[in-house]
């Protein structure tokens, strides 16, 4: 897998877990983030994104990474993590110290 293909796959995986958009929109956006030049028309861009996603090495990598993530936490733990993240508040990064904690 090339560096650009890996960047596409990693971006797709991030969007898979963090977006409510349909998968092909995620694939198009992942391709853009990875630096692929896509046609202006949605159908053409989607076609390229689908071809990237369905390339054997990329598809296998995406599926294995998603499965590995899901195996790290059981459904109850994922829900608790999601709730904790939803309740978080993020201050301005200029208020953070060197360890990522908020200075008060």
């Amino acid at each position: 897998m090339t560096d650009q293909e890996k960047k596409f796959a990693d971006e797709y995986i991030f969007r898979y877990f963090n977006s409510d958009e349909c998968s092909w929109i995620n694939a198009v956006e992942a391709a853009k983030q990875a630096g692929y030049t896509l046609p202006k028309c949605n159908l053409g861009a989607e076609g390229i994104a689908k071809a990237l996603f369905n390339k054997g090495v990329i598809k296998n990598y995406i599926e294995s990474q998603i499965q590995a993530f899901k195996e790290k936490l059981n459904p109850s733990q994922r829900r608790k993590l999601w709730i904790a993240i939803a309740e978080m508040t993020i201050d301005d990064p200029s208020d953070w110290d060197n360890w990522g904690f908020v200075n008060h």
Side-chain angles (χ1 to χ4, degrees), residues 2-59:
T2 68
D3 289 342
Q4 189 175 31
E5 289 170 339
K6 185 171 183 317
K7 188 173 181 180
F8 164 80
D10 289 339
E11 184 66 24
Y12 179 88
I13 293 163
F14 174 79
R15 289 173 179 277
Y16 173 87
F17 284 109
N18 295 288
S19 175
D20 58 357
E21 298 173 350
C22 73
S23 64
W24 296 125
I25 292 172
N26 287 336
V28 168
E29 292 305 314
K32 289 177 185 176
Q33 284 294 113
Y36 286 93
T37 302
L38 302 176
K40 297 279 185 206
C41 75
N42 289 339
L43 192 57
E46 189 175 292
I48 290 172
K50 283 181 181 180
L52 280 168
F53 178 87
N54 287 313
K55 186 174 179 181
V57 66
I58 295 173
K59 188 171 187 172

Side-chain angles (χ1 to χ4, degrees), residues 45-104:
E46 189 175 292
I48 290 172
K50 283 181 181 180
L52 280 168
F53 178 87
N54 287 313
K55 186 174 179 181
V57 66
I58 295 173
K59 188 171 187 172
N60 290 340
Y61 174 80
I62 289 171
E63 288 172 354
S64 71
Q65 293 296 341
I66 289 171
Q67 186 60 34
F69 178 82
K70 287 182 175 181
E71 289 172 359
K72 289 181 190 257
L73 301 171
N74 67 42
S76 175
Q77 290 169 317
R78 277 186 246 145
R79 180 166 302 281
K80 287 177 184 174
L81 177 59
W82 194 255
I83 290 168
I85 291 170
E87 292 174 353
M88 289 174 58
T89 57
I90 307 297
D91 290 327
D92 187 306
S94 63
D95 293 333
W96 298 354
D97 68 12
N98 292 335
W99 299 102
F101 296 104
V102 176
N103 295 321
H104 286 289

